[in-house]
Amino acid sequence: MTILARDVAALGSGARAPRREVQADTRYSTLLGEKAWARLPEAVRRRFSKPGHPGNVTIYRGQVISTELSRIGSLLAQAARLVGGPLPLTPGGGGTVTVTVIEDPAFKGQVWSRSYARAGHFPQVIHSAKRFLGPTGLEEYLGWGLVMRLGLSVEEGTLVFRSLAYGLELRGRFFRLPSWITPGTCEVRHEDQGGGRFRFELTLVHPLVGCLVRQVAVFEDPR
């Protein structure tokens, strides 16, 4: 009781209770390395080092500038609906998009949900999980056992996620898909535009038939 009274008195006299130190998320910076991480704008480093406590939720709101689908890309996007629809379905631009990032230890990483507004239709919602696993240290789990192993780099101040391999995960084992059956190289670029805004660009390029999908959107940091 004496200790409790002394603590209460100290607080009443203006002393502050000790605060828990907030630990930054170092998973992305570790994958990139110190030199590459330092080449990113401060705003990008801040977005990708938010504390990763279980259940943490971050919401980004933005606008789709353009979505381009080749004929084969459109067919691929429709076919991919059988495994959860991980590709945009509607060409054009102007629609709003919301991205929700949730820290989920069960996925060993973060669950990303993208909701695309579509006039006259329910929004298209795409779920995936970024898992800090595998030989590259980073994987995109698309559901239905589909896994895309990613490489992370910094190119002219832009953070780039690039597919390195596709595979199926069965009973905890990874079975790499041969290149001829994959859709090509998937690349996501995160480019800071200042003022709390950033540009997102997704491309899917097949080595034989060229660009299948290209989407550009602009987002704002949550306030």
Side-chain angles (χ1 to χ4, degrees):
M1 292 297 293
T2 303
I3 296 176
L4 178 60
R6 185 170 63 245
D7 292 343
V8 171
L11 290 172
S13 65
R16 295 183 178 180
R19 295 182 179 180
R20 291 183 179 180
E21 185 177 351
V22 178
Q23 297 293 330
D25 184 352
T26 61
R27 293 172 295 187
Y28 289 103
S29 61
T30 299
L31 286 173
L32 281 171
E34 185 177 347
K35 291 183 178 179
W37 180 253
R39 293 202 303 270
L40 288 171
E42 181 181 354
V44 178
R45 297 198 302 267
R46 184 172 61 250
R47 291 181 197 116
F48 286 89
S49 62
K50 290 184 177 180
H53 301 308
N56 271 14
V57 179
T58 303
I59 300 175
Y60 297 98
R61 293 177 173 84
Q63 195 83 8
V64 176
I65 304 302
S66 64
T67 301
E68 303 168 17
L69 301 169
S70 71
R71 182 179 300 179
I72 296 177
S74 183
L75 292 173
L76 176 64
Q78 294 295 333
R81 296 174 73 178
L82 297 173
V83 291
L87 294 173
L89 299 171
T90 308
T96 58
V97 55
T98 302
V99 176
T100 303
V101 183
I102 302 175
E103 189 69 30
D104 190 341
F107 277 98
K108 296 181 174 60
Q110 302 166 327
V111 174
W112 293 59
S113 298
R114 305 161 184 84
S115 178
Y116 294 91
R118 299 185 297 167
H121 300 274
F122 288 118
Q124 180 189 1
V125 181
I126 298 174
H127 300 291
S128 66
K130 280 189 169 58
R131 309 188 305 189
F132 297 89
L133 298 172
T136 68
L138 186 62
E139 298 177 343
E140 187 98 8
Y141 178 69
L142 306 172
W144 297 83
L146 292 173
V147 176
M148 181 170 58
R149 286 180 170 168
L150 299 172
L152 196 60
S153 62
V154 178
E155 301 175 10
E156 298 181 354
T158 298
L159 184 62
V160 181
F161 299 81
R162 186 174 289 115
S163 65
L164 300 177
Y166 295 86
L168 285 174
E169 187 176 76
L170 300 173
R171 296 184 178 180
R173 297 183 61 188
F174 180 84
F175 297 90
R176 182 167 179 160
L177 295 175
S179 58
W180 59 269
I181 204 174
T182 69
T185 301
C186 181
E187 183 178 286
V188 171
R189 305 178 74 89
H190 179 110
E191 180 184 359
D192 189 64
Q193 294 194 319
R197 292 164 59 88
F198 61 91
R199 182 178 185 270
F200 161 95
E201 181 177 0
L202 164 72
T203 56
L204 183 62
V205 179
H206 192 277
L208 297 180
V209 296
C211 186
L212 304 178
V213 179
R214 180 175 182 268
Q215 185 178 70
V216 177
V218 175
F219 291 90
E220 293 184 351
D221 287 326
R223 296 182 180 180

